[in-house]
């Protein structure tokens, strides 16, 4: 949960998740939908799917006992070398190296590497530096300390160099180049994208959902259908085998643009509100009807939930 997410955001979600899935067996027995619903609001949903898959591997292949070596941990879904090292050190206090963004910054400045071109080193060499500092005893304390040191002292901007106990041996400080280490990766250019989601309600505000494919940001998650480019909303309903009659259509509904990674997404929302039941309408292929009150148990992306609430509000006020 802490990967790419701050502690303050994680705390409440963590407590709720552990209450729902008290051990690896409970997580393995749950449905994918239950896991995603409990994860709702944390984003980066692939992390939840990886945890779910990992729980299945641990129960089936390791009899519920968590593996204790870096190599075994790295074979599990979503666990890389640094995360594996963090687990081994934090849980069993065994010597294991980590190399997250904070640790990289500390090592980069201290050793004067991966700044200007002449100081570039390979990833393998960077790991060797990290390993050279990892103690054989109290690895748990060291790993926590070096991560916190990078987060609170050796920060990206405004590092506390004047108070730092390492400055006498810090190459970046001694050469007055702290701001040059490490070099920052250039951000990918911003891409603008327009999507055309369609929120479909029956007479009781049951909402039509379709499951996303196995790739992408929202893999396997339920979402509202999306109208293809150049397709009119009425024809889109026909493509879903839904009638063009007994329906109120709201087209071009305004929503706020938002960012996903390097994409700025604009939505052109269509809302279709039928005055007949979903049972009469039928269920299009690869979709499901879900009661509005039950949407929080499905594991929808936050943006999808916001979109559906906006659509319901629009229908009720017009």
């Amino acid at each position: 949960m802490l990967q790419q997410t701050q502690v303050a955001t994680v705390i409440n979600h963590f407590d709720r998740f552990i209450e729902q899935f008290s051990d690896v067996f409970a997580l393995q027995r749950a449905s994918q939908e239950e896991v995603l619903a409990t994860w709702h609001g944390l984003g980066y949903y692939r992390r939840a799917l990886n945890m779910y898959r990992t729980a299945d591997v641990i129960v089936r292949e390791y009899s519920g006992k968590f593996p204790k070596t870096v190599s075994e941990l790295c074979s599990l879904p979503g666990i890389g070398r640094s995360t594996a090292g963090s687990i081994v050190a934090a849980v069993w206090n065994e010597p294991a190296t980590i190399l997250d963004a904070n640790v990289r910054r500390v090592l980069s400045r201290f050793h004067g590497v991966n700044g200007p071109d002449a100081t570039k080193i390979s990833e393998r060499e960077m790991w060797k530096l990290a390993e050279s500092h990892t103690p054989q005893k109290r690895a748990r304390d060291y790993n926590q300390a070096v991560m916190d040191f990078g987060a609170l002292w050796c920060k990206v901007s405004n590092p506390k160099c004047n108070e730092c106990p390492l400055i006498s041996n810090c190459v970046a400080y001694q050469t007055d180049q702290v701001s040059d280490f490490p070099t920052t990766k250039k951000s990918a250019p911003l891409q603008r994208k327009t999507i055309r989601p369609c929120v479909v309600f029956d007479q009781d505000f049951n909402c039509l959902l379709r499951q996303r494919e196995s790739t992408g940001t929202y893999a396997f998650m339920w979402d509202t259908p999306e109208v293809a480019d150049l397709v009119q909303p009425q024809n889109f309903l026909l493509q879903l085998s839904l009638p063009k009659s007994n329906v109120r259509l709201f087209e071009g509904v305004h929503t706020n643009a938002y960012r996903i990674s390097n994409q700025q997404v604009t939505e052109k929302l269509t809302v279709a509100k039928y005055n007949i039941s979903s049972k009469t309408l039928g269920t299009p292929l690869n979709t499901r009807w879900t009661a509005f009150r039950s949407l929080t148990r499905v594991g929808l992306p936050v943006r999808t939930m916001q979109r559906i609430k906006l659509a319901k509000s629009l229908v009720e006020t017009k």
Side-chain angles (χ1 to χ4, degrees):
M1 286 184 177
L2 288 171
Q3 291 176 340
Q4 297 177 283
T5 306
Q6 295 181 347
V7 173
T9 303
V10 163
I11 290 174
N12 291 333
H13 290 85
F14 175 81
D15 290 340
R16 186 172 70 244
F17 197 91
I18 294 301
E19 182 179 357
Q20 181 82 9
F21 311 112
S22 57
D23 56 30
V24 71
F25 298 100
L27 183 58
Q28 193 259 355
R29 288 194 300 268
S31 68
Q32 179 175 281
E33 189 170 296
E34 289 174 316
V35 174
L36 289 172
T38 308
W39 192 272
H40 177 78
L42 268 177
Y44 300 101
Y45 292 94
R46 187 167 292 278
R47 296 177 299 175
L49 293 176
N50 284 333
M51 283 180 59
Y52 182 55
R53 293 168 183 150
T54 287
D56 187 58
V57 173
I58 290 174
V59 170
R60 289 189 299 101
E61 299 183 16
Y62 292 90
S63 301
K65 296 181 179 180
F66 217 80
K68 295 185 177 182
T69 68
V70 170
S71 60
E72 286 178 303
L73 288 167
C74 284
S75 70
L76 299 174
I79 298 182
R81 183 176 176 181
S82 187
T83 300
S86 180
I87 292 170
V88 170
V91 179
W92 295 288
N93 205 18
E94 294 292 331
T97 301
I98 62 171
L99 193 56
D100 73 348
N102 287 318
V103 178
R104 286 178 183 276
R105 186 166 57 258
V106 172
L107 295 177
S108 171
R109 289 171 175 169
F110 187 79
H111 289 281
V113 297
N114 285 345
D117 289 344
T119 66
K120 300 294 184 186
I121 63 173
S122 67
E123 182 71 359
R124 182 178 180 181
E125 291 173 302
M126 196 70 187
W127 271 100
K128 284 184 177 180
L129 284 181
E131 289 169 348
S132 72
H133 288 281
T134 304
Q136 291 301 300
K137 295 182 179 180
R138 297 184 64 189
R140 176 191 296 146
D141 292 339
Y142 169 77
N143 283 353
Q144 188 63 56
V146 71
M147 284 191 293
D148 287 348
F149 183 76
L152 302 175
W153 284 66
C154 196
K155 300 181 290 185
V156 176
S157 58
N158 300 317
K160 299 180 180 180
C161 293
N162 292 334
E163 306 172 55
C164 179
L166 304 180
I167 55 174
S168 60
N169 293 310
C170 177
V171 173
Y173 181 83
Q174 293 298 327
T175 58
D176 195 25
Q177 294 180 299
V178 172
S179 61
D180 296 329
F181 291 90
T183 52
T184 56
K185 294 181 180 179
K186 291 183 178 179
S187 300
L190 183 65
Q191 298 178 356
R192 300 183 187 277
K193 178 182 179 182
T194 299
I195 61 173
R196 301 174 64 200
C198 182
V199 176
V200 182
F201 292 124
D202 76 346
Q203 65 178 12
D204 301 311
F205 283 103
N206 293 314
C207 185
L208 186 69
L209 301 176
R210 56 104 179 182
Q211 191 170 34
R212 285 183 171 268
E213 297 178 352
S214 60
T215 58
T217 303
Y218 301 117
F220 294 115
M221 298 188 74
W222 291 94
D223 202 347
T224 51
E226 194 169 311
V227 184
D229 290 340
L230 305 178
V231 175
Q232 294 299 313
Q234 294 89 340
N235 292 332
F236 176 67
L237 295 176
L238 290 178
Q239 290 175 359
L240 291 174
S241 299
L242 296 174
K244 294 197 322 184
S245 58
N246 299 304
V247 64
R248 294 167 63 199
L249 278 176
F250 303 84
E251 300 180 46
V253 179
H254 172 74
T255 61
N256 294 326
Y258 53 88
R259 290 279 298 271
I260 297 180
S261 187
N262 68 318
Q263 292 186 334
Q264 180 169 307
V265 181
T266 299
E267 294 188 0
K268 290 186 178 180
L269 176 62
T270 296
V271 182
K273 174 64 170 69
Y274 283 95
N275 59 11
I276 51 180
S277 70
S278 56
K279 185 176 181 180
T280 301
L281 289 168
T283 304
L285 188 66
N286 298 322
T287 67
R288 60 184 279 184
W289 291 98
T290 302
F292 184 83
R293 65 181 180 276
S294 300
L295 291 172
T296 56
R297 298 196 293 270
V298 175
L300 301 177
V302 171
R303 297 288 179 188
T304 302
M305 194 68 205
Q306 292 173 340
R307 181 189 308 139
I308 295 172
K309 288 180 177 179
L310 173 65
K312 185 173 185 287
S313 176
L314 177 68
V315 171
E316 290 175 330
T317 56
K318 291 190 176 182

